[in-house]
């Protein structure tokens, strides 16, 4: 099983829960006098798409020979539970004890040596030292000091040589952050400042400049920050409805939960075109490069947002521009589309403003592929057809395949509720507001060359014909299979998916 159940791991809630359940089962067997040993591994070599993320946390991918040897020793030994990991103790120990001492590491000599060395005589509190430094300088210098701190910590998390690579006014997603690295930065800043910082810190304050202003207020009080308008969490965020999604009762009666939200969504303000929006529709560049740009259409799920494509974009950085096109209505104060035509009018306007007169590619994963399909047809009708369309693991509404995986889909959403998906009332009712728009969606023919990228692994159990669970597309297209399942292909395996997409586009001169 995964070591997520041993010491925890951001983004691995399901793995941790599964491991804990297996450990409890093993304990029960032992209590009954039957043998049971629990063995937890960190990922093996070749098992993760981005091993550098593990190494930054102090975990090196396991050599298969070492892992198998540990399996033999655990099976023949007397220990009840064994965790096997190749640990870089100076890195892991510092990160694991950043906020508080960790009893888990007591008795591990290598870990204790690191934590003892990290605590000098008199133990300087970095948060107290920072507060003293801020209090001693003029007000105009305080924000600069905190901006330097944010940029330095962000550079460390992203693996840059220095803070110069972190531009103060660029969105954290564009700088290369995803849900896991956002939480890493939050934890590092919490240690340095002593402030209580929310899990959605980078969502609420999306640039280093905005985050520095927020930190100043959190450390010295709201008046000290003098933060620009709009940098704080908008009024109306949070609420009851989104939080209910995590509750077992709501997930057990998903249809009833959705029906309630659909009714509530009808009371939200709506738009029929760009002129009706209180602020321009969003589009966010996640990567840049010289080749034909890719516009990624976001899904309409509770997880919807530009962050969905952060890891895909990471694999295309330096190769081509990658834009994420969110659907309006998921943010506080945003209107919902009155109908599907209204959504397409706004998306057409937004895409053409972003890409200019040149060629571009449309892409979409899951429900985002539905948006990409309809948007490609509308752009074609207006004489601005995309140069190509990339559809990633899309299924029609009412699919028997996805219908059989409802619990896995809901569990996947809960597991990925993270730094960029605050489950507030606006997000919950926006999801419900989009359900009727796409309820009768059917694939539409497209003139552009089309690639269908299918997940290489089923999301759940499949008892039908071999391969019958895979995504299909009824019109002319080429097919590629990607590593991972419906969620992980664009998440943990996103950089690998980027190579697949980039190679296909390059073969067409795009």
């Amino acid at each position: 099983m995964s070591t997520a159940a041993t010491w925890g791991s951001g983004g691995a809630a399901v793995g941790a829960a599964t491991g804990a359940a297996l450990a409890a089962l093993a304990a029960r067997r032992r209590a009954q006098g039957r043998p049971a040993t629990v063995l937890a591994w960190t990922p093996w070599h070749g098992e993760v798409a981005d091993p550098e993320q593990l190494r930054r946390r102090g975990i090196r991918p396991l050599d298969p020979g070492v892992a198998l040897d540990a399996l033999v020793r655990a099976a023949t030994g007397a220990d009840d539970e064994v965790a096997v990991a190749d640990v870089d103790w100076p890195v892991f120990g510092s990160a694991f004890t950043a906020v508080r001492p960790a009893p888990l590491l007591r008795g591990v000599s290598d870990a204790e040596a690191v934590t003892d060395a990290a605590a000098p005589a008199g133990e300087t509190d970095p948060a107290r030292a920072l507060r003293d430094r801020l209090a001693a300088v003029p007000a105009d210098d305080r924000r600069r000091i905190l901006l330097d701190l944010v940029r330095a910590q962000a550079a460390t998390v992203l693996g840059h040589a220095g803070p110069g690579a972190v531009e103060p006014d660029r969105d954290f997603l564009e700088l290369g952050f995803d849900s896991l690295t956002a939480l890493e930065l939050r934890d590092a800043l919490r240690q340095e400042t002593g402030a209580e910082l929310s899990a959605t810190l980078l969502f609420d304050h999306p640039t280093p400049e905005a985050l520095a202003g927020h930190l100043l207020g959190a450390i010295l009080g709201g008046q000290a920050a003098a933060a620009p308008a709009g940098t704080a969490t908008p009024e109306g965020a949070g609420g009851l409805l989104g939080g209910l999604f995590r509750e077992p009762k709501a997930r057990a009666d998903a249809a009833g939960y959705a029906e309630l939200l659909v009714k509530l969504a009808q009371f939200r303000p709506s738009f029929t075109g760009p002129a009706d929006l209180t602020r321009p529709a969003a589009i966010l560049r996640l990567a840049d490069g010289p080749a034909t740009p890719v516009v990624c259409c976001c899904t309409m799920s509770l997880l919807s947002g530009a962050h969905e494509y952060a890891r895909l974009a990471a694999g295309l950085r330096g190769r081509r521009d990658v834009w994420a096109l969110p659907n309006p209505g998921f943010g506080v104060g945003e209107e919902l589309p009155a109908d599907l035509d209204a959504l397409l009018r706004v998306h057409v306007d937004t895409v053409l403003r972003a890409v200019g007169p040149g060629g571009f590619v449309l892409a979409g994963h899951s429900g985002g592929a539905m948006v990409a399909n309809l948007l490609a047809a509308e752009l074609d009708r207006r004489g601005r057809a995309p140069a190509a369309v990339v559809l990633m693991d899309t299924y029609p509404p009412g699919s028997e395949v996805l219908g059989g995986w409802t619990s896995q889909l809901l569990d996947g959403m809960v597991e990925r509720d993270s730094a960029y998906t605050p489950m507030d009332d606006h997000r919950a009712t926006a999801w419900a507001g989009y359900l009727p728009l796409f309820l009768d969606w059917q694939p539409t023919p497209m003139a552009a060359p089309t690639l269908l990228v299918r997940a290489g692994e089923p999301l759940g159990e499949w008892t039908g014909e071999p391969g019958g669970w895979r995504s299909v597309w009824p019109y002319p297209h080429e097919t590629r299979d990607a590593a991972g399942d419906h969620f992980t292909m664009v998440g943990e395996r996103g950089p690998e998916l980027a190579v697949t997409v980039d190679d296909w586009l390059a073969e067409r001169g795009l």
Side-chain angles (χ1 to χ4, degrees):
M1 70 182 193
S2 166
T3 50
T6 306
W7 51 57
S9 177
V14 171
T18 301
L22 289 174
L25 176 62
R28 182 177 180 181
R29 284 179 57 88
R30 288 192 296 270
Q32 296 170 342
R34 294 184 290 172
T37 301
V38 175
L39 177 62
W41 280 297
T42 52
W44 295 17
H45 275 294
E47 193 176 358
V48 292
D50 186 8
E52 285 306 311
Q53 283 201 358
L54 284 175
R55 291 191 176 96
R56 289 200 297 271
R57 296 172 173 83
I59 300 295
R60 294 179 285 253
L62 272 176
D63 178 88
V66 173
L68 292 174
D69 179 64
L71 172 62
V72 173
R73 294 170 62 184
T76 58
D79 291 317
D80 294 338
E81 298 187 29
V82 177
V84 183
D86 186 357
V87 180
D88 181 348
W89 286 111
V91 177
F92 182 86
S94 299
F96 199 68
T97 59
V99 178
R100 62 184 63 85
L104 178 69
L105 301 184
R106 290 174 187 162
V108 181
S109 57
D110 290 340
E112 289 183 331
V114 170
T115 53
D116 290 345
E123 289 205 33
T124 301
D125 178 1
R128 180 183 296 277
L130 177 63
R131 286 194 299 271
D132 292 344
R133 183 185 177 196
L134 292 174
V137 300
D140 291 344
D141 290 339
R142 294 170 181 170
R143 184 186 292 271
R144 176 189 56 76
I145 291 171
L146 288 171
L147 179 59
D148 290 345
L149 172 65
V150 170
R151 295 176 69 197
Q153 294 295 335
T156 299
V157 170
L158 294 176
H160 295 314
V166 180
E167 298 177 35
D169 58 350
R170 291 186 77 178
D171 194 289
F172 283 111
L173 284 172
E174 189 178 355
L175 290 169
F177 278 85
D178 57 28
S179 295
L180 289 179
T181 48
L183 293 175
E184 279 190 63
L185 179 58
R186 187 277 309 265
D187 290 345
L189 291 174
R190 185 167 58 184
Q191 178 191 7
E192 292 293 325
T193 65
E196 286 298 320
L197 303 175
S198 72
T200 58
L201 182 69
L202 270 59
F203 176 88
D204 298 329
H205 312 281
T207 67
E209 185 72 53
L211 180 53
H214 170 71
L215 291 177
L216 186 52
I219 297 169
L220 297 182
Q223 295 302 316
T231 59
T233 302
E235 184 179 353
L240 171 68
L241 302 175
L244 284 177
F245 180 75
R246 304 184 189 92
E247 298 299 325
K249 288 183 178 180
R251 290 160 60 194
D253 184 14
Y257 176 70
E259 183 179 356
L260 170 64
L261 292 180
V262 168
K263 291 181 179 179
L264 292 174
Q266 296 172 2
F267 295 97
R268 287 190 53 181
S270 62
F271 65 84
T272 59
D276 296 335
L277 298 172
T278 54
R279 58 176 179 264
I283 187 168
L284 180 65
R285 185 164 60 184
L286 302 180
D288 50 27
T292 304
V294 177
V295 178
C296 296
C297 300
C298 296
T299 67
M300 302 79 68
S301 75
L302 284 162
L303 302 176
S304 182
H307 61 279
E308 298 176 63
Y309 298 106
R311 296 190 186 182
L312 172 68
L316 295 172
R317 194 162 287 123
R319 284 286 302 142
R320 58 183 77 239
D321 284 1
V322 178
W323 297 88
L325 181 66
N327 293 301
F330 284 84
V332 177
E334 295 180 357
E335 298 86 358
L336 286 170
D339 51 36
L340 202 50
D341 288 340
L343 176 67
L344 293 177
R345 280 192 286 272
V346 165
H347 275 342
V348 166
D349 178 73
T350 305
V351 169
L352 296 183
R353 280 192 290 107
V355 302
F360 60 95
V361 175
L362 281 183
H365 168 249
S366 189
M370 301 180 192
V371 179
N373 173 224
L374 294 175
L375 185 55
E378 178 64 17
L379 285 162
D380 188 16
R381 190 181 69 81
R382 299 191 185 198
R384 284 299 311 272
V389 178
V390 179
L391 307 174
M392 295 174 273
D393 214 45
T394 184
Y395 294 85
S399 163
E400 292 184 4
V401 176
L402 289 189
W405 292 341
T406 300
S407 62
Q408 288 86 351
L409 287 168
L410 296 177
D411 287 345
M413 291 182 189
V414 171
E415 182 180 1
R416 287 162 177 79
D417 173 12
S418 63
Y420 281 101
T421 52
M423 290 295 191
D424 58 25
D425 291 351
H426 287 78
R427 179 170 292 276
T429 52
W431 165 63
Y434 276 89
L435 290 177
L437 301 188
F438 287 86
L439 185 62
D440 298 321
W441 173 82
Q442 292 296 327
T444 299
M446 298 179 292
T450 302
L451 173 66
L452 174 65
V453 186
R454 309 181 302 186
E457 303 168 9
L459 185 61
E461 183 180 356
W462 176 253
T463 58
E465 295 182 7
W469 55 270
R470 293 183 184 274
S471 173
V472 296
W473 187 251
Y475 298 110
H477 67 279
E478 296 184 42
T479 302
R480 299 286 189 276
D481 289 337
D485 61 30
H486 182 74
F487 287 116
T488 60
M489 65 182 288
V490 292
E492 292 87 332
R493 313 302 288 267
E496 297 171 69
L497 175 61
V499 173
T500 299
V501 172
D502 191 59
D503 287 348
W504 185 81
L505 293 175
E507 289 170 7
R508 280 144 194 81
L510 298 174

